């Protein structure tokens, strides 16, 4: 075992007055690295030891203020920029409502930062041990005695002087404190392969146990009552109806809204006599008619109904819609053509619903009038 | 431990205090009288500010004395007389309230029967808000304050001679009775004189709001007196920065308390957004009142907060005295904020009228303090807590 290294000299005192006096004297002697331990906070000790005010207050101030400002920015970003939602008719960035929250965050962040700074910056945690641990000195000052310790790394430290000084201020007991050699030479065991292997084994065992417990021992059937309802779903076999279908047909003769059946199949002339355009000419109907005409009719009939097809001969060009024949046709006759088709032209009943067909007819009438304008139209 | 003996030899405070006080008093009196001749309504509103301000200082000081007895506090025993001297101002309250009673119709909307009859809300409030009951309350409150002030200070004075500890016990019992009375009277004083200026408006926190200002103003006034007396050696030796620190810490605490209460009142009204409550704040946001209202945050909270935040600022008598005077000013500023928007809707009104009452009140208190201190010891030398109070260390 190598020689012990001196950490410092400690003195034990009986009364608070003695220790205060000793601290004052220590300052007079010019010791800077000394500390005083008392069983309870002793008022006036900071002055006797000539301690500067703690800098922890600044940590609290800076941390609290910066967290609070950040939090205001966060609230502003969330409530006014990224996802503005109106709450109770208040502005998006409503500062009065934030004050309680900001205050809470300020207090929380300031206190946590202060505690963490105290532990890790000022107390220098985590350290393995301290030479004072387990010494007679520590036992005495944590029950009913007052102690002072002068560290060996003090620039004015000198064993004989310090002993003399401690005697001069009436220390009851003077004990040298040494570093624990085992502690100094202590190696961290955390990186040894055996320990890492142990950790891995524990991790695997733990995961396996959790898996086993939650999936086998304590397994619970998932909550699925909503899926299993006592009702007939679409496409399901029915036990009630004789044909076995769950879905039912409407009553015979039912006509769905907007699906009036076409009564003049194969009789375009009769349709031309009987059918009347129910859609009055209006801007809306012409706009709709134009849109549908441009989409479905213009590929063959051309945008203006001239029959000059864009399909360039892949189909035979249809006749012009401006011929005398078409212009004198009633709306119902054109309706019959759109609905059933004529010659090469197929039926457009699936593409255009009845209202759209009538709108297209209105548009064709507008085209016809525009392409065959009379002198009187200019007036 | 050796027992330090305290030695008190009475030293009279200079007559300069009285002459300055009389000068201020006269100036204030002239302004007040001229004001009442030129514009009685405006002066009456100022009178309310002045009246509630002096209630804050003197009744708050009595509360401070009562709390000291009740809590068995030793640190304030050596300078309790400063607070006791201030409480004698309670006897001045009737003088200040008489001109108000003569002009009560100018300030209180609800004192006009024809207005009340035409107004459903005021009619419903009439059983409380009527001139007879109001006068009864004002007189009853003053009577309660005077009664307790008289007995408590008399016991304290008797103790100077007899050193009888039973007198302290008596005062503790009296204080226990007084404190609930104080809570009620000070809340209703705030409601009667300040909240009823806008009889349609109501705020359930208003009593506490006025109480927080009361505590601050009385603490500040006591601090000013204590620092002045101690720095010039009129008190016993041994009072030091630990005592100053405690006074400063109390002022700091009540600065925060005031801000907490004021903000609570604002936040609830702002959040609920009910027209019958918000109009009070909207009045204080009209024209130049807006700047005044924002100024209140700084005058009453930000400046005292940072002024008293650090340890040295509470221990240094000069800075502490400065902050205490500032807080007294802030309390006056606060009362002006509560009262004057009712008189001057469009914007802040400030001219020579407004200087009358501050001068008058400061003068009155100075003369009063001088006169009382001439007749009594400046330290309660018979108090059993005195020795421990002098030895008080943080």
């Amino acid at each position: 075992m190598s020689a012990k290294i001196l950490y410092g000299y400690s003195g034990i005192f009986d009364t608070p007055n003695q220790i205060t006096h000793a601290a004052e004297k220590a300052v007079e002697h010019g010791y800077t690295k000394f500390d005083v331990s008392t069983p309870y906070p002793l008022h006036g000790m900071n002055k006797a030891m000539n301690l500067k005010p703690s800098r922890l207050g600044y940590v609290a101030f800076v941390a609290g203020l910066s967290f609070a400002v950040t939090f205001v920015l966060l609230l502003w970003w969330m409530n006014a920029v990224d996802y503005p939602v109106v709450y109770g008719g208040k502005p998006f960035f409503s500062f009065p409502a934030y004050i309680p929250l900001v205050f809470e965050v300020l207090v929380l962040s300031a206190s946590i930062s202060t505690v963490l700074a105290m532990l890790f910056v000022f107390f220098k945690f985590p350290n393995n041990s301290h030479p004072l641990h387990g010494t007679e000195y520590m036992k005495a000052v944590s029950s009913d005695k007052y102690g002072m310790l002068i560290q060996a790394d003090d620039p004015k430290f000198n064993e004989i002087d310090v002993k003399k000084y401690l005697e001069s201020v009436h220390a009851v007991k003077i004990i040298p404190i040494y570093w624990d050699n085992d502690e100094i030479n202590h190696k961290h065991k955390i990186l040894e392969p055996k320990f890492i292997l142990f950790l891995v084994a524990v991790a695997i065992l733990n995961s396996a146990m959790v898996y086993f417990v939650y999936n086998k021992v304590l397994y619970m059937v998932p909550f699925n009552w909503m899926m299993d309802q006592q009702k007939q779903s679409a496409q399901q076999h029915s036990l009630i109806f004789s044909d076995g279908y769950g879905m039912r047909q409407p009553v015979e003769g039912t006509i769905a809204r907007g699906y009036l059946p076409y009564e003049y199949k194969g009789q375009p002339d009769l349709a031309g006599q009987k059918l009347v355009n129910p859609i009055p000419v209006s801007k809306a109907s012409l706009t709709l008619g134009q849109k549908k005409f441009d989409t479905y009719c213009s590929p063959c009939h051309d945008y203006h109904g001239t029959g000059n097809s864009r399909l360039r001969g892949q189909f035979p060009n249809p006749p012009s819609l401006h011929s005398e024949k078409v212009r004198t046709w009633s709306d119902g006759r054109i309706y019959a053509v759109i609905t059933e088709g004529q010659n090469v032209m197929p039926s457009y009943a699936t593409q255009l619903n009845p209202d759209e067909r009538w709108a297209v007819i209105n548009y064709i009438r507008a085209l016809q009038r525009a392409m065959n304008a009379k002198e009187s139209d200019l007036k | 431990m050796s027992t330090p003996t305290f030695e008190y030899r009475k030293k009279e405070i200079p007559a300069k205090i009285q002459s300055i006080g009389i000068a201020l008093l006269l100036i204030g009196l002239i302004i007040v009288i001229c004001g009442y001749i030129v514009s009685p309504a405006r002066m009456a509103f100022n009178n309310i500010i002045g009246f509630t301000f002096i209630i804050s200082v003197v009744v708050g000081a009595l509360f401070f004395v009562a709390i000291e007895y009740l809590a068995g506090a030793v640190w304030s025993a050596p300078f309790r007389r400063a607070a006791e001297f201030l409480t004698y101002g309670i006897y001045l309250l009737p003088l200040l309230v008489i001109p108000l009673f003569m002009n009560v119709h100018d300030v209180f909307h609800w004192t006009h029967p024809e207005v009340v009859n035409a107004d459903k809300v005021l009619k419903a409030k009439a059983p409380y808000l009527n001139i007879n009951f109001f006068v009864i309350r004002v007189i009853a409150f003053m009577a309660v304050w005077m009664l307790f002030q008289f007995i408590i200070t008399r016991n304290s004075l008797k103790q100077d001679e007899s050193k009888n500890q039973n007198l302290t016990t008596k005062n503790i019992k009296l204080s226990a009775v007084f404190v609930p009375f104080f809570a009620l009277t000070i809340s209703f004083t705030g409601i009667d004189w300040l909240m009823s200026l806008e009889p349609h408006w109501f705020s359930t926190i208003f009593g506490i709001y006025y109480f927080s200002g009361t505590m601050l103003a009385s603490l500040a006034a006591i601090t000013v007196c204590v620092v002045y007396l101690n720095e010039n050696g009129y008190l016993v030796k041994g009072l030091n920065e630990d005592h100053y620190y405690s006074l400063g810490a109390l002022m700091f605490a009540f600065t925060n308390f005031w801000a907490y209460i004021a903000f609570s009142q604002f936040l609830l009204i702002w959040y609920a957004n009910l027209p019958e409550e918000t109009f009070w704040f909207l009045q204080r946001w009209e024209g130049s009142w807006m700047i005044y209202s924002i100024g209140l945050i700084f005058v009453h909270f930000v400046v005292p907060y940072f002024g008293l935040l650090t340890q040295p600022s509470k221990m240094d008598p000069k800075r502490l005295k400065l902050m205490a005077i500032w807080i007294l000013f802030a309390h006056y500023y606060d009362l002006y904020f509560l009262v004057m928007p009712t008189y001057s809707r469009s914007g802040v009104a400030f001219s020579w009228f407004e200087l009358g009452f501050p001068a008058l009140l400061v003068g009155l208190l100075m003369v009063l303090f001088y006169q009382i201190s001439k007749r009594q010891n400046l330290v309660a030398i018979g108090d059993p807590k005195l020795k421990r109070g002098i030895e008080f260390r943080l």
Side-chain angles (χ1 to χ4, degrees):
Chain A
M1 204 170 151
S2 56
K4 283 187 171 178
I5 303 166
L6 190 67
Y7 173 70
Y9 259 87
S10 70
I12 292 176
F13 299 82
D14 273 339
T15 66
N17 279 6
Q18 281 178 354
I19 190 77
T20 313
H21 174 72
E24 280 163 1
K25 284 279 175 223
V27 173
E28 259 176 49
H29 273 73
Y31 295 124
T32 47
K33 292 201 165 177
F34 73 97
D35 204 358
V36 167
S37 313
T38 54
Y40 55 87
L42 209 58
H43 293 309
M45 185 47 86
N46 51 353
K47 210 184 245 172
M49 286 173 72
N50 200 17
L51 291 180
K52 279 180 206 133
S54 168
R55 276 167 301 166
L56 263 180
Y58 295 102
V59 174
F61 184 77
V62 170
L65 216 59
S66 44
F67 271 92
V69 170
T70 315
F71 189 60
V72 172
L73 285 176
L74 177 74
L75 283 168
W76 162 78
W77 168 254
M78 294 193 304
N79 291 349
V81 179
D82 192 39
Y83 204 82
V85 178
V86 176
Y87 284 114
K90 297 284 184 271
F92 294 131
F93 182 76
S94 44
F95 193 67
Y98 297 164
I99 290 179
L101 310 176
V102 172
F103 175 71
E104 300 290 340
V105 165
L106 190 145
V107 171
L108 184 72
S109 58
S111 46
I112 290 178
S113 320
T114 311
V115 170
L116 292 183
M118 184 181 81
L119 290 179
F120 294 100
V121 179
F122 292 89
F123 291 176
K124 299 193 173 65
F125 271 15
N127 44 11
N128 290 323
S129 76
H130 196 275
L132 285 175
H133 282 175
T135 57
E136 195 188 342
Y137 171 83
M138 211 62 207
K139 279 171 199 157
V141 299
S142 54
S143 62
D144 61 347
K145 296 277 191 260
Y146 307 83
M148 169 183 276
L149 180 115
I150 299 168
Q151 279 172 236
D153 52 354
D154 191 289
K156 285 211 161 180
F157 187 85
N158 176 319
E159 269 192 62
I160 300 151
D161 283 358
V162 166
K163 257 191 209 165
K164 249 191 212 159
Y165 155 72
L166 284 173
E167 273 162 15
S168 76
V169 290
H170 312 297
V172 188
K173 224 180 221 175
I174 299 167
I175 314 162
I177 307 273
Y178 295 98
W179 287 96
D180 190 335
N181 280 355
D182 291 347
E183 285 291 347
I184 292 175
N185 300 323
H186 181 82
K187 289 222 167 51
H188 289 287
K189 287 184 174 161
I190 201 157
L191 292 173
E192 278 178 16
K194 235 195 217 165
F195 182 71
I196 290 171
L197 207 69
F198 171 73
L199 274 187
V200 170
V202 166
I204 290 170
L205 191 72
N206 206 359
S207 315
M209 269 166 64
V210 170
Y211 178 83
F212 181 71
V213 167
Y214 280 101
N215 286 288
K216 307 289 169 206
V217 180
L218 295 176
Y219 180 76
M220 280 194 289
V221 179
F223 172 88
N224 61 355
W225 310 328
M226 277 196 168
M227 278 166 75
D228 291 342
Q229 289 184 23
Q230 296 243 324
K231 65 165 192 190
Q232 184 75 46
S233 302
Q235 319 289 349
Q236 219 173 30
H237 179 71
S238 168
L239 298 169
I240 297 169
F241 298 110
S242 57
D243 58 1
Y245 284 107
M247 292 199 288
R248 307 310 297 161
Q249 292 290 332
V251 177
E252 202 143 313
T254 307
I255 294 167
R257 268 173 189 275
Y259 290 92
L260 218 68
Y262 183 62
E263 288 176 42
Y264 309 102
K265 208 172 159 105
Q267 298 167 297
D269 290 325
L270 188 63
Q273 285 167 31
K274 294 273 167 108
L275 279 175
V276 182
N277 188 345
I279 305 288
V281 179
S282 66
K283 195 168 180 191
S285 114
L286 286 175
T287 314
L288 179 68
Q290 182 184 24
K291 196 178 165 212
K292 295 295 169 186
F293 184 89
D294 288 355
T295 308
Y296 297 109
C297 312
S298 72
C300 299
H301 285 284
D302 176 34
Y303 288 114
H304 306 299
T306 57
N308 187 10
S309 168
R310 295 209 292 283
L311 299 173
R312 301 189 187 279
Q314 292 172 47
F315 283 92
N317 276 7
S320 165
L321 297 177
H322 302 296
S323 63
E324 197 61 33
K325 188 178 93 181
V326 182
R327 274 161 62 200
T328 49
W329 271 358
S330 71
D331 286 357
R333 185 67 182 76
I334 303 176
Y335 186 85
V337 173
I338 299 174
T339 310
E340 290 200 75
Q342 184 178 296
N343 304 331
V344 182
M345 176 173 162
S347 161
Y348 276 81
T350 48
Q351 285 95 330
L352 298 168
N353 69 31
D355 284 0
E356 287 166 355
R357 282 171 235 165
W358 291 118
V360 167
I361 290 161
N362 281 343
Y363 183 63
I364 290 170
R365 292 290 183 225
L367 282 178
Q368 284 172 346
R369 181 139 184 212
M371 295 297 279
N372 303 286
K374 290 184 212 106
E375 196 74 20
S376 60
D377 288 339
L378 293 172
K379 283 170 188 166
Chain B
M1 262 191 274
S2 59
T3 41
T5 47
F6 61 87
E7 221 175 274
Y8 173 67
R9 246 185 306 123
K10 194 181 170 187
K11 198 167 131 193
E12 288 203 0
I13 60 174
K16 200 176 72 185
I17 297 286
Q18 172 157 303
S19 35
I20 295 172
I22 288 175
L24 279 171
L25 182 66
L26 287 177
I27 293 168
L29 204 61
I30 290 163
I31 294 176
V32 168
I33 290 168
C34 291
Y36 263 119
I37 293 164
V38 176
S39 167
R42 182 165 184 173
M43 215 56 224
F45 275 99
N46 272 304
N47 201 338
I48 290 187
I49 303 176
F51 182 61
T52 45
F53 179 79
I54 195 143
I55 287 179
S56 289
V57 172
V58 300
V59 183
L62 186 56
F63 179 65
F64 181 83
V65 172
I67 282 292
E68 189 214 291
Y69 277 117
L70 211 48
V74 293
W75 66 277
S76 58
F79 55 81
R80 196 187 60 236
R81 275 291 146 81
E84 281 178 20
F85 290 175
L86 285 174
T87 63
Y88 281 93
I90 288 172
Y91 298 106
L92 299 173
L93 296 180
L95 289 177
L96 289 161
V97 83
I98 286 166
L100 263 176
F101 277 143
M102 296 194 301
N103 294 283
V104 77
H105 293 292
D106 287 336
V107 282
F108 292 125
H109 186 53
W110 49 266
T111 54
H112 303 265
E114 70 278 4
V115 175
V116 174
N117 282 330
D119 195 319
K120 236 179 162 179
V121 176
L122 293 189
K123 228 175 170 176
K125 289 185 180 182
Y128 180 82
L129 273 187
N130 61 67
I131 193 81
N132 292 332
F133 191 29
F134 179 79
V135 173
I136 291 170
R137 276 195 309 262
V138 171
I139 292 171
F141 290 175
M142 283 184 194
V144 168
W145 296 332
M146 283 178 193
L147 180 73
F148 281 101
Q149 196 276 345
F150 180 71
I151 307 176
I152 288 176
T153 48
R154 196 188 54 175
N155 282 344
S156 172
L157 276 180
K158 265 194 211 160
Q159 210 173 33
D160 278 8
E161 303 296 322
S162 65
K163 323 269 181 201
N164 186 353
Q165 296 205 6
N166 290 340
L167 290 166
T168 301
T169 321
K170 259 187 204 169
N171 269 357
I172 290 171
K173 282 175 188 157
L174 274 170
S175 304
V177 180
F178 171 68
V179 165
F181 270 115
F182 170 80
L184 289 175
T185 51
I186 210 75
S187 299
F188 282 104
T189 301
I191 290 165
D192 285 349
W193 287 105
L194 301 170
M195 200 164 102
S196 80
L197 286 167
E198 289 293 343
H200 288 97
W201 186 71
F202 54 91
S203 165
T204 46
I205 208 169
F206 199 83
I208 307 169
Y209 181 88
Y210 179 59
F211 162 72
S212 62
T214 295
M215 252 346 262
L216 259 180
S218 57
L219 276 170
I222 292 165
T223 308
V224 172
C225 297
V226 170
V227 172
Y228 172 77
L229 292 176
N230 193 39
E231 290 305 302
N232 294 299
Y234 299 111
L235 300 179
V236 282
K237 275 211 176 102
L239 289 189
N240 61 9
E241 56 193 31
D242 297 313
H243 298 85
Y244 291 153
Y245 180 87
S246 304
L247 277 171
L250 266 179
M251 282 199 288
F252 183 68
F254 274 93
T255 298
N256 285 303
F257 181 68
W258 177 88
Y260 172 62
I261 296 298
F263 179 69
S264 300
Q265 173 172 293
F266 170 74
L267 184 74
L268 290 194
I269 289 172
W270 175 84
Y271 235 122
N273 212 4
L274 300 173
E276 61 262 40
E277 292 178 347
T278 48
F279 81 91
W280 193 82
F281 278 108
L282 289 174
Q283 267 179 17
R284 279 149 186 80
W285 207 247
E286 195 88 8
S288 50
W289 283 115
M290 190 177 96
I291 298 159
Y292 193 88
S293 303
I294 294 169
L296 181 67
I297 301 170
F298 288 92
V299 170
H300 212 305
F301 176 63
V302 177
V303 172
Y305 181 86
F306 286 103
L308 289 169
L309 182 62
T310 58
Q311 202 179 33
S313 68
K314 283 177 276 224
M315 289 183 164
D316 179 16
K318 265 189 202 140
R319 284 163 73 181
L320 189 68
K321 195 171 160 190
L322 187 72
M323 277 336 288
I325 291 169
W326 179 270
I327 285 172
L328 282 172
F329 162 69
H331 185 56
Y332 206 88
Y333 189 98
D334 181 28
L335 290 169
Y336 188 90
F337 166 83
L338 295 175
V339 171
M340 280 315 251
T342 308
Y343 171 76
S344 152
R345 289 278 149 98
S346 51
V348 182
F350 184 82
S351 71
W352 57 271
F353 290 97
E354 276 65 40
L355 297 172
F357 270 97
L360 178 76
L361 296 178
V362 173
L364 260 180
L365 285 175
M366 282 169 92
V367 174
L368 182 86
F369 202 90
Y370 177 77
Q371 287 299 333
I372 307 278
S373 69
K374 232 168 77 174
R375 288 164 174 76
Q376 299 182 7
N377 284 330
L378 286 143
V379 175
I381 47 172
D383 197 303
K385 294 182 292 184
L386 182 61
K387 205 191 93 192
R388 277 190 294 156
I390 296 166
E391 285 166 4
F392 167 78
R393 295 292 174 269
L394 282 172

